[in-house]
Amino acid sequence: MLNNIFYLIPAAGLLALLFTYIKSNWVTKQEVGDENMARIAGHIAEGAMAFLRAEYKTLSIFVILVAILLAFQGHLTEGSSYMIAVSFIVGAICSGLAGFIGMKVATKANVRTTNAARTSLGKALEVAFSGGSVMGLAVVGLGILGLSFLFILFGWQFDLHSQATEADTQAVLGLVITVITGFSFGASSIALFARVGGGIYTKAADVGADLVGKVEAGIPEDHPLNPATIADNVGDNVGDVAGMGADLFESFVGSIIGAMVLGAVFFSIFEADAGAALGGMSGVYLPLMLGATGIITSIIGTLLVRIKEEGGDPQRALNVGEFGSAILMAIAFYFLITWLLPSSWSYNDPLYGRVFE
């Protein structure tokens, strides 16, 4: 039965998206700078969005075709389901959205950080770090929200909440997790094209800027008179931000789904002694709950990043936020794992006729 505690997981995903919305709005309200800075930043943002529109338009055709094939294969294959196509589409959308959100705020934060750095080190760090935190929390927020939503949806679709026996529950649970792996497949597909496509563009633009500036005109690569500078900066955004966002999203959800599968298999093979708070579902819930807890501690960590105007050290400020959130996370993980997992396990090996504990 789906325990009510599980519904706190998508709430953490929504909290992360709310935080990204607030931070994105804050970055947008900061001063852009003079007219020349605003003009150049506008060209970079326009070019990045043009690239992303063209890329996502092509990828949408790929996603639709693959989803049709997955639905057909899932309908014909025993032990699978056509619903895997739904997971694939949701994963692809979330992956693309993670990259889009990150690139959108990055094109705003870049010029605003430059302008803030002209007068204040602390303000520059705050703007830059806020812009980066938007993509980071968008990635984990969309991942946790998408996975938990699909798990709840498919749990009710396949009557996971009303199975009569533990064996039936484990069988249906296996089907649910099989379908959810389509989410990771969709995320991986978008990450592949976004990372490779954006990487090829950014490298081509970088080489073009070098050839035009340093070789032909004898001016620096990033000189204002170098026309390839705009393309070079567009490439940095679409490759290192949008592509990286989709790539991080794929890695994040892939690790969670892998841990969920291992948790389901572990509880089906080993007999847990008393202490598993959610029974046989504890191993499946744990990765999602760890991710949701990580969102909360990460938000707290972003609030710890502060720097003094005089003699401040940006690296030290970042270390305070990183290690502070890591310590909080370790403490929370200890209590969460102790609560969800039993203190001991036993396994009756039929081959050797022994009970391992």
Side-chain angles (χ1 to χ4, degrees), residues 289-305:
M289 296 183 74
L290 292 178
T293 304
I295 288 176
I296 298 173
T297 57
S298 296
I299 292 176
I300 296 174
T302 62
L303 303 178
L304 299 177
V305 179

Side-chain angles (χ1 to χ4, degrees), residues 20-333:
T20 62
Y21 175 76
I22 295 173
K23 280 294 184 180
S24 179
N25 282 346
W26 182 86
V27 170
T28 304
K29 294 177 181 178
Q30 304 309 303
E31 292 292 333
V32 176
D34 57 39
E35 182 180 351
N36 193 39
M37 293 173 64
R39 179 176 57 85
I40 294 175
H43 291 326
I44 295 172
E46 182 182 359
M49 290 305 301
F51 177 89
L52 217 58
R53 281 195 298 268
E55 184 179 50
Y56 283 2
K57 183 178 179 180
T58 303
L59 287 180
S60 62
I61 300 174
F62 167 80
V63 170
I64 292 172
L65 293 177
V66 174
I68 293 173
L69 294 176
L70 286 174
F72 183 73
Q73 183 269 346
H75 179 71
L76 296 180
T77 304
E78 184 179 356
S80 185
S81 170
Y82 70 92
M83 295 293 287
I84 195 171
V86 177
S87 296
F88 176 81
I89 293 174
V90 174
I93 292 174
C94 289
S95 181
L97 190 58
F100 172 81
I101 292 174
M103 194 201 69
K104 190 73 173 178
V105 74
T107 54
K108 296 178 181 179
N110 292 338
V111 65
R112 289 164 172 82
T113 301
T114 302
N115 181 63
R118 300 164 74 180
T119 57
S120 171
L121 175 63
K123 191 68 174 181
L125 176 63
E126 186 178 8
V127 175
F129 186 76
S130 296
S133 66
V134 167
M135 188 183 78
L137 283 165
V139 166
V140 295
L142 287 169
I144 290 295
L145 184 62
L147 281 175
S148 58
F149 169 76
L150 289 175
F151 193 81
I152 293 172
L153 176 64
F154 296 152
W156 287 96
Q157 175 73 22
F158 299 119
D159 290 331
L160 182 61
H161 61 287
S162 61
Q163 299 303 307
T165 65
E166 183 68 20
D168 291 336
T169 300
Q170 290 297 330
V172 177
L173 178 61
L175 179 58
V176 171
I177 295 180
T178 300
V179 173
I180 287 181
T181 54
F183 184 87
S184 180
F185 182 32
S188 299
S189 300
I190 298 301
L192 171 64
F193 290 107
R195 192 75 171 122
V196 173
I200 291 174
Y201 179 88
T202 187
K203 184 51 64 178
D206 186 41
V207 172
D210 282 336
L211 292 176
V212 171
K214 298 177 180 178
V215 178
E216 294 187 3
I219 59 178
E221 174 187 354
D222 297 326
H223 195 278
L225 297 179
N226 188 348
T229 299
I230 298 296
D232 189 11
N233 282 274
V234 168
D236 289 338
N237 281 282
V238 300
D240 298 335
V241 180
M244 180 64 74
D247 193 16
L248 290 173
F249 182 86
E250 179 271 335
S251 301
F252 178 70
V253 300
S255 61
I256 288 182
I257 291 175
M260 291 172 67
V261 173
L262 290 176
V265 172
F266 201 83
F267 269 83
S268 65
I269 295 177
F270 290 83
E271 181 179 348
D273 297 335
L278 304 179
M281 299 293 291
S282 294
V284 180
Y285 283 170
L286 181 59
L288 287 170
M289 296 183 74
L290 292 178
T293 304
I295 288 176
I296 298 173
T297 57
S298 296
I299 292 176
I300 296 174
T302 62
L303 303 178
L304 299 177
V305 179
R306 293 289 183 269
I307 185 174
K308 298 179 180 179
E309 282 300 329
E310 297 294 334
D313 184 1
Q315 185 60 57
R316 182 179 180 182
L318 293 174
N319 287 340
V320 170
E322 180 180 1
F323 292 118
S325 61
I327 292 172
L328 292 175
M329 190 180 301
I331 296 173
F333 280 12

